[in-house]
Amino acid sequence: MATYELVLFTFLALVSSQAFASDPSPLQDFCVAYDMKSDVFVNGLVCKNPKYVKPEDFFFSGLDKAGDTSKNLGSNVTLVNVDRLGGLNTLGISLARIDFAPKNGLNPPHIHPRATEVLTVMEGTLYVGFVTSAPEFKLFSKVLNKGDVFVFPQGLIHFQFNFGAVPAVAFAGLSSQNPGLVTIANAVFGSNPPISDDVLAKAFQLDKKTVDWLQAQFSNSN
């Protein structure tokens, strides 16, 4: 292969990889999700006939209401994705409200496999951060106050923590109609069926008794 052909092939490969790095672009003005429980599986959801689309298909109400933060972690995420707002189908975006209890309200380390997240603090103070991939595993963290914005790149482990004395509220935009969620501790110690405790004991350099205890805690939380 000639040098210029190799360069062209490499360029096209890079462009293609970027083009498919997020939700596919819509091929029409909108594609309101038709049937959330359909047995037909596509990359997204089947479109409703535009003749039957209503303003309500693009409307959601309730993000003015605080979520319940009384559970163990002291946080509550109200996610508005395509499952709750059919008009988001094919538009590559969703929104979340995150409420934090005062003094230790935590949105624990997690990833969104299909979305970058941009978060802005509406009330209170949050300590937030994300960790890069191997080999650096570098932590980028910041204390955010009201009006501050922070970005969490797609697929990287990140968290938000309220160490303040008052409740905190944040809103997050995500670059997918269905960003997905993998909470690290729940995935590792609460999987169904469970990961072998031999594997986890070796991976985390723990004794099996400790692993078994952790698995019991997270299996009960799912």
PDB file of all heavy atoms in Angstrom, residues 40-66:
ATOM      1  N   VAL A  40     -39.240  -5.878  19.686  1.00  0.00           N
ATOM      2  CA  VAL A  40     -38.304  -5.557  18.615  1.00  0.00           C
ATOM      3  C   VAL A  40     -37.166  -4.725  19.195  1.00  0.00           C
ATOM      4  O   VAL A  40     -37.385  -3.664  19.773  1.00  0.00           O
ATOM      5  CB  VAL A  40     -39.000  -4.770  17.486  1.00  0.00           C
ATOM      6  CG1 VAL A  40     -37.989  -4.389  16.401  1.00  0.00           C
ATOM      7  CG2 VAL A  40     -40.140  -5.582  16.893  1.00  0.00           C
ATOM      8  N   PHE A  41     -35.934  -5.210  19.052  1.00  0.00           N
ATOM      9  CA  PHE A  41     -34.778  -4.508  19.591  1.00  0.00           C
ATOM     10  C   PHE A  41     -34.004  -3.840  18.462  1.00  0.00           C
ATOM     11  O   PHE A  41     -33.611  -4.485  17.492  1.00  0.00           O
ATOM     12  CB  PHE A  41     -33.861  -5.486  20.337  1.00  0.00           C
ATOM     13  CG  PHE A  41     -34.437  -5.965  21.640  1.00  0.00           C
ATOM     14  CD1 PHE A  41     -35.255  -7.085  21.687  1.00  0.00           C
ATOM     15  CD2 PHE A  41     -34.176  -5.292  22.823  1.00  0.00           C
ATOM     16  CE1 PHE A  41     -35.799  -7.521  22.876  1.00  0.00           C
ATOM     17  CE2 PHE A  41     -34.715  -5.725  24.026  1.00  0.00           C
ATOM     18  CZ  PHE A  41     -35.527  -6.838  24.049  1.00  0.00           C
ATOM     19  N   VAL A  42     -33.822  -2.526  18.591  1.00  0.00           N
ATOM     20  CA  VAL A  42     -33.021  -1.758  17.646  1.00  0.00           C
ATOM     21  C   VAL A  42     -32.064  -0.897  18.452  1.00  0.00           C
ATOM     22  O   VAL A  42     -32.156  -0.822  19.671  1.00  0.00           O
ATOM     23  CB  VAL A  42     -33.909  -0.868  16.740  1.00  0.00           C
ATOM     24  CG1 VAL A  42     -34.799  -1.712  15.869  1.00  0.00           C
ATOM     25  CG2 VAL A  42     -34.733   0.104  17.570  1.00  0.00           C
ATOM     26  N   ASN A  43     -31.125  -0.235  17.771  1.00  0.00           N
ATOM     27  CA  ASN A  43     -30.178   0.641  18.460  1.00  0.00           C
ATOM     28  C   ASN A  43     -30.868   1.969  18.742  1.00  0.00           C
ATOM     29  O   ASN A  43     -30.697   2.959  18.041  1.00  0.00           O
ATOM     30  CB  ASN A  43     -28.930   0.852  17.610  1.00  0.00           C
ATOM     31  CG  ASN A  43     -27.830   1.524  18.412  1.00  0.00           C
ATOM     32  OD1 ASN A  43     -27.796   1.422  19.636  1.00  0.00           O
ATOM     33  ND2 ASN A  43     -26.926   2.206  17.739  1.00  0.00           N
ATOM     34  N   GLY A  44     -31.636   1.979  19.799  1.00  0.00           N
ATOM     35  CA  GLY A  44     -32.527   3.084  20.130  1.00  0.00           C
ATOM     36  C   GLY A  44     -33.907   2.488  20.338  1.00  0.00           C
ATOM     37  O   GLY A  44     -34.039   1.362  20.803  1.00  0.00           O
ATOM     38  N   LEU A  45     -34.935   3.218  20.002  1.00  0.00           N
ATOM     39  CA  LEU A  45     -36.296   2.713  20.132  1.00  0.00           C
ATOM     40  C   LEU A  45     -37.065   3.001  18.840  1.00  0.00           C
ATOM     41  O   LEU A  45     -36.772   3.967  18.131  1.00  0.00           O
ATOM     42  CB  LEU A  45     -37.000   3.371  21.328  1.00  0.00           C
ATOM     43  CG  LEU A  45     -36.434   3.009  22.698  1.00  0.00           C
ATOM     44  CD1 LEU A  45     -36.995   3.934  23.769  1.00  0.00           C
ATOM     45  CD2 LEU A  45     -36.742   1.558  23.048  1.00  0.00           C
ATOM     46  N   VAL A  46     -38.038   2.157  18.561  1.00  0.00           N
ATOM     47  CA  VAL A  46     -38.852   2.314  17.362  1.00  0.00           C
ATOM     48  C   VAL A  46     -39.603   3.636  17.411  1.00  0.00           C
ATOM     49  O   VAL A  46     -40.085   4.057  18.465  1.00  0.00           O
ATOM     50  CB  VAL A  46     -39.839   1.133  17.236  1.00  0.00           C
ATOM     51  CG1 VAL A  46     -40.759   1.325  16.034  1.00  0.00           C
ATOM     52  CG2 VAL A  46     -39.072  -0.174  17.109  1.00  0.00           C
ATOM     53  N   CYS A  47     -39.716   4.309  16.259  1.00  0.00           N
ATOM     54  CA  CYS A  47     -40.351   5.627  16.201  1.00  0.00           C
ATOM     55  C   CYS A  47     -41.875   5.532  16.157  1.00  0.00           C
ATOM     56  O   CYS A  47     -42.438   4.671  15.482  1.00  0.00           O
ATOM     57  CB  CYS A  47     -39.914   6.377  14.944  1.00  0.00           C
ATOM     58  SG  CYS A  47     -38.137   6.615  14.779  1.00  0.00           S
ATOM     59  N   LYS A  48     -42.507   6.457  16.831  1.00  0.00           N
ATOM     60  CA  LYS A  48     -43.948   6.658  16.700  1.00  0.00           C
ATOM     61  C   LYS A  48     -44.239   7.360  15.378  1.00  0.00           C
ATOM     62  O   LYS A  48     -43.455   8.191  14.917  1.00  0.00           O
ATOM     63  CB  LYS A  48     -44.450   7.508  17.874  1.00  0.00           C
ATOM     64  CG  LYS A  48     -45.940   7.791  17.854  1.00  0.00           C
ATOM     65  CD  LYS A  48     -46.334   8.766  18.963  1.00  0.00           C
ATOM     66  CE  LYS A  48     -46.276   8.131  20.336  1.00  0.00           C
ATOM     67  NZ  LYS A  48     -46.873   9.029  21.372  1.00  0.00           N
ATOM     68  N   ASN A  49     -45.351   7.020  14.769  1.00  0.00           N
ATOM     69  CA  ASN A  49     -45.767   7.705  13.551  1.00  0.00           C
ATOM     70  C   ASN A  49     -45.892   9.205  13.851  1.00  0.00           C
ATOM     71  O   ASN A  49     -46.614   9.597  14.774  1.00  0.00           O
ATOM     72  CB  ASN A  49     -47.108   7.154  13.076  1.00  0.00           C
ATOM     73  CG  ASN A  49     -47.518   7.690  11.712  1.00  0.00           C
ATOM     74  OD1 ASN A  49     -47.249   8.838  11.373  1.00  0.00           O
ATOM     75  ND2 ASN A  49     -48.199   6.868  10.942  1.00  0.00           N
ATOM     76  N   PRO A  50     -45.197  10.068  13.094  1.00  0.00           N
ATOM     77  CA  PRO A  50     -45.253  11.514  13.374  1.00  0.00           C
ATOM     78  C   PRO A  50     -46.667  12.081  13.404  1.00  0.00           C
ATOM     79  O   PRO A  50     -46.916  13.092  14.068  1.00  0.00           O
ATOM     80  CB  PRO A  50     -44.440  12.110  12.220  1.00  0.00           C
ATOM     81  CG  PRO A  50     -43.520  11.024  11.794  1.00  0.00           C
ATOM     82  CD  PRO A  50     -44.286   9.749  11.984  1.00  0.00           C
ATOM     83  N   LYS A  51     -47.608  11.433  12.720  1.00  0.00           N
ATOM     84  CA  LYS A  51     -48.983  11.924  12.714  1.00  0.00           C
ATOM     85  C   LYS A  51     -49.617  11.869  14.101  1.00  0.00           C
ATOM     86  O   LYS A  51     -50.557  12.597  14.391  1.00  0.00           O
ATOM     87  CB  LYS A  51     -49.834  11.091  11.753  1.00  0.00           C
ATOM     88  CG  LYS A  51     -49.448  11.224  10.280  1.00  0.00           C
ATOM     89  CD  LYS A  51     -50.330  10.352   9.414  1.00  0.00           C
ATOM     90  CE  LYS A  51     -49.957  10.453   7.946  1.00  0.00           C
ATOM     91  NZ  LYS A  51     -50.808   9.574   7.096  1.00  0.00           N
ATOM     92  N   TYR A  52     -49.087  10.980  14.960  1.00  0.00           N
ATOM     93  CA  TYR A  52     -49.685  10.774  16.281  1.00  0.00           C
ATOM     94  C   TYR A  52     -48.855  11.382  17.416  1.00  0.00           C
ATOM     95  O   TYR A  52     -49.157  11.185  18.584  1.00  0.00           O
ATOM     96  CB  TYR A  52     -49.889   9.285  16.535  1.00  0.00           C
ATOM     97  CG  TYR A  52     -50.670   8.602  15.435  1.00  0.00           C
ATOM     98  CD1 TYR A  52     -50.131   7.528  14.740  1.00  0.00           C
ATOM     99  CD2 TYR A  52     -51.942   9.049  15.083  1.00  0.00           C
ATOM    100  CE1 TYR A  52     -50.848   6.903  13.722  1.00  0.00           C
ATOM    101  CE2 TYR A  52     -52.664   8.429  14.069  1.00  0.00           C
ATOM    102  CZ  TYR A  52     -52.103   7.366  13.390  1.00  0.00           C
ATOM    103  OH  TYR A  52     -52.809   6.762  12.380  1.00  0.00           O
ATOM    104  N   VAL A  53     -47.814  12.109  17.057  1.00  0.00           N
ATOM    105  CA  VAL A  53     -46.967  12.734  18.064  1.00  0.00           C
ATOM    106  C   VAL A  53     -47.678  13.953  18.658  1.00  0.00           C
ATOM    107  O   VAL A  53     -48.318  14.728  17.947  1.00  0.00           O
ATOM    108  CB  VAL A  53     -45.615  13.148  17.447  1.00  0.00           C
ATOM    109  CG1 VAL A  53     -44.813  14.000  18.421  1.00  0.00           C
ATOM    110  CG2 VAL A  53     -44.822  11.904  17.060  1.00  0.00           C
ATOM    111  N   LYS A  54     -47.560  14.103  19.979  1.00  0.00           N
ATOM    112  CA  LYS A  54     -48.196  15.195  20.703  1.00  0.00           C
ATOM    113  C   LYS A  54     -47.143  16.019  21.445  1.00  0.00           C
ATOM    114  O   LYS A  54     -46.024  15.544  21.689  1.00  0.00           O
ATOM    115  CB  LYS A  54     -49.201  14.644  21.720  1.00  0.00           C
ATOM    116  CG  LYS A  54     -50.285  13.756  21.111  1.00  0.00           C
ATOM    117  CD  LYS A  54     -51.145  13.169  22.214  1.00  0.00           C
ATOM    118  CE  LYS A  54     -52.217  12.239  21.642  1.00  0.00           C
ATOM    119  NZ  LYS A  54     -53.031  11.628  22.714  1.00  0.00           N
ATOM    120  N   PRO A  55     -47.473  17.255  21.846  1.00  0.00           N
ATOM    121  CA  PRO A  55     -46.531  18.046  22.640  1.00  0.00           C
ATOM    122  C   PRO A  55     -46.076  17.318  23.910  1.00  0.00           C
ATOM    123  O   PRO A  55     -44.934  17.489  24.355  1.00  0.00           O
ATOM    124  CB  PRO A  55     -47.339  19.309  22.977  1.00  0.00           C
ATOM    125  CG  PRO A  55     -48.322  19.441  21.868  1.00  0.00           C
ATOM    126  CD  PRO A  55     -48.692  18.027  21.499  1.00  0.00           C
ATOM    127  N   GLU A  56     -46.961  16.508  24.483  1.00  0.00           N
ATOM    128  CA  GLU A  56     -46.630  15.775  25.710  1.00  0.00           C
ATOM    129  C   GLU A  56     -45.472  14.801  25.512  1.00  0.00           C
ATOM    130  O   GLU A  56     -44.802  14.407  26.471  1.00  0.00           O
ATOM    131  CB  GLU A  56     -47.862  15.023  26.218  1.00  0.00           C
ATOM    132  CG  GLU A  56     -48.950  15.910  26.814  1.00  0.00           C
ATOM    133  CD  GLU A  56     -49.737  16.676  25.763  1.00  0.00           C
ATOM    134  OE1 GLU A  56     -49.691  16.278  24.570  1.00  0.00           O
ATOM    135  OE2 GLU A  56     -50.402  17.674  26.116  1.00  0.00           O
ATOM    136  N   ASP A  57     -45.236  14.377  24.265  1.00  0.00           N
ATOM    137  CA  ASP A  57     -44.127  13.468  23.982  1.00  0.00           C
ATOM    138  C   ASP A  57     -42.774  14.130  24.196  1.00  0.00           C
ATOM    139  O   ASP A  57     -41.753  13.443  24.290  1.00  0.00           O
ATOM    140  CB  ASP A  57     -44.212  12.951  22.539  1.00  0.00           C
ATOM    141  CG  ASP A  57     -45.386  12.015  22.322  1.00  0.00           C
ATOM    142  OD1 ASP A  57     -45.620  11.156  23.194  1.00  0.00           O
ATOM    143  OD2 ASP A  57     -46.071  12.150  21.292  1.00  0.00           O
ATOM    144  N   PHE A  58     -42.752  15.460  24.269  1.00  0.00           N
ATOM    145  CA  PHE A  58     -41.520  16.208  24.461  1.00  0.00           C
ATOM    146  C   PHE A  58     -41.471  16.890  25.829  1.00  0.00           C
ATOM    147  O   PHE A  58     -40.626  17.763  26.054  1.00  0.00           O
ATOM    148  CB  PHE A  58     -41.383  17.270  23.358  1.00  0.00           C
ATOM    149  CG  PHE A  58     -41.419  16.714  21.969  1.00  0.00           C
ATOM    150  CD1 PHE A  58     -42.607  16.705  21.251  1.00  0.00           C
ATOM    151  CD2 PHE A  58     -40.281  16.187  21.391  1.00  0.00           C
ATOM    152  CE1 PHE A  58     -42.652  16.189  19.968  1.00  0.00           C
ATOM    153  CE2 PHE A  58     -40.319  15.664  20.117  1.00  0.00           C
ATOM    154  CZ  PHE A  58     -41.502  15.658  19.398  1.00  0.00           C
ATOM    155  N   PHE A  59     -42.346  16.476  26.720  1.00  0.00           N
ATOM    156  CA  PHE A  59     -42.534  17.198  27.989  1.00  0.00           C
ATOM    157  C   PHE A  59     -42.343  16.270  29.176  1.00  0.00           C
ATOM    158  O   PHE A  59     -42.771  15.114  29.172  1.00  0.00           O
ATOM    159  CB  PHE A  59     -43.946  17.783  28.020  1.00  0.00           C
ATOM    160  CG  PHE A  59     -44.304  18.453  29.323  1.00  0.00           C
ATOM    161  CD1 PHE A  59     -43.845  19.722  29.614  1.00  0.00           C
ATOM    162  CD2 PHE A  59     -45.101  17.797  30.256  1.00  0.00           C
ATOM    163  CE1 PHE A  59     -44.186  20.337  30.814  1.00  0.00           C
ATOM    164  CE2 PHE A  59     -45.440  18.399  31.457  1.00  0.00           C
ATOM    165  CZ  PHE A  59     -44.973  19.680  31.739  1.00  0.00           C
ATOM    166  N   PHE A  60     -41.669  16.787  30.218  1.00  0.00           N
ATOM    167  CA  PHE A  60     -41.520  16.081  31.501  1.00  0.00           C
ATOM    168  C   PHE A  60     -41.653  17.104  32.604  1.00  0.00           C
ATOM    169  O   PHE A  60     -41.122  18.209  32.518  1.00  0.00           O
ATOM    170  CB  PHE A  60     -40.164  15.387  31.593  1.00  0.00           C
ATOM    171  CG  PHE A  60     -39.933  14.685  32.903  1.00  0.00           C
ATOM    172  CD1 PHE A  60     -40.318  13.358  33.074  1.00  0.00           C
ATOM    173  CD2 PHE A  60     -39.345  15.355  33.973  1.00  0.00           C
ATOM    174  CE1 PHE A  60     -40.112  12.725  34.287  1.00  0.00           C
ATOM    175  CE2 PHE A  60     -39.143  14.712  35.186  1.00  0.00           C
ATOM    176  CZ  PHE A  60     -39.532  13.392  35.337  1.00  0.00           C
ATOM    177  N   SER A  61     -42.345  16.742  33.663  1.00  0.00           N
ATOM    178  CA  SER A  61     -42.526  17.634  34.802  1.00  0.00           C
ATOM    179  C   SER A  61     -42.065  16.949  36.081  1.00  0.00           C
ATOM    180  O   SER A  61     -42.309  15.755  36.264  1.00  0.00           O
ATOM    181  CB  SER A  61     -44.005  18.017  34.934  1.00  0.00           C
ATOM    182  OG  SER A  61     -44.206  18.860  36.051  1.00  0.00           O
ATOM    183  N   GLY A  62     -41.397  17.695  36.952  1.00  0.00           N
ATOM    184  CA  GLY A  62     -41.045  17.135  38.245  1.00  0.00           C
ATOM    185  C   GLY A  62     -39.638  17.406  38.720  1.00  0.00           C
ATOM    186  O   GLY A  62     -39.311  17.102  39.880  1.00  0.00           O
ATOM    187  N   LEU A  63     -38.784  18.005  37.896  1.00  0.00           N
ATOM    188  CA  LEU A  63     -37.420  18.236  38.343  1.00  0.00           C
ATOM    189  C   LEU A  63     -37.305  19.372  39.352  1.00  0.00           C
ATOM    190  O   LEU A  63     -36.219  19.642  39.862  1.00  0.00           O
ATOM    191  CB  LEU A  63     -36.506  18.509  37.146  1.00  0.00           C
ATOM    192  CG  LEU A  63     -36.183  17.293  36.274  1.00  0.00           C
ATOM    193  CD1 LEU A  63     -35.146  17.667  35.217  1.00  0.00           C
ATOM    194  CD2 LEU A  63     -35.678  16.121  37.103  1.00  0.00           C
ATOM    195  N   ASP A  64     -38.424  20.017  39.649  1.00  0.00           N
ATOM    196  CA  ASP A  64     -38.416  21.017  40.713  1.00  0.00           C
ATOM    197  C   ASP A  64     -38.524  20.378  42.089  1.00  0.00           C
ATOM    198  O   ASP A  64     -38.303  21.032  43.105  1.00  0.00           O
ATOM    199  CB  ASP A  64     -39.571  21.994  40.523  1.00  0.00           C
ATOM    200  CG  ASP A  64     -40.928  21.301  40.538  1.00  0.00           C
ATOM    201  OD1 ASP A  64     -41.045  20.198  39.945  1.00  0.00           O
ATOM    202  OD2 ASP A  64     -41.877  21.839  41.143  1.00  0.00           O
ATOM    203  N   LYS A  65     -38.852  19.087  42.122  1.00  0.00           N
ATOM    204  CA  LYS A  65     -39.070  18.385  43.395  1.00  0.00           C
ATOM    205  C   LYS A  65     -37.795  17.677  43.849  1.00  0.00           C
ATOM    206  O   LYS A  65     -37.136  16.988  43.073  1.00  0.00           O
ATOM    207  CB  LYS A  65     -40.209  17.372  43.243  1.00  0.00           C
ATOM    208  CG  LYS A  65     -41.550  18.013  42.906  1.00  0.00           C
ATOM    209  CD  LYS A  65     -42.624  16.951  42.718  1.00  0.00           C
ATOM    210  CE  LYS A  65     -43.986  17.589  42.469  1.00  0.00           C
ATOM    211  NZ  LYS A  65     -43.994  18.383  41.203  1.00  0.00           N
ATOM    212  N   ALA A  66     -37.460  17.840  45.131  1.00  0.00           N
ATOM    213  CA  ALA A  66     -36.273  17.201  45.692  1.00  0.00           C
ATOM    214  C   ALA A  66     -36.465  15.695  45.795  1.00  0.00           C
ATOM    215  O   ALA A  66     -37.554  15.214  46.109  1.00  0.00           O
ATOM    216  CB  ALA A  66     -35.970  17.783  47.071  1.00  0.00           C
TER     217      ALA A  66
END
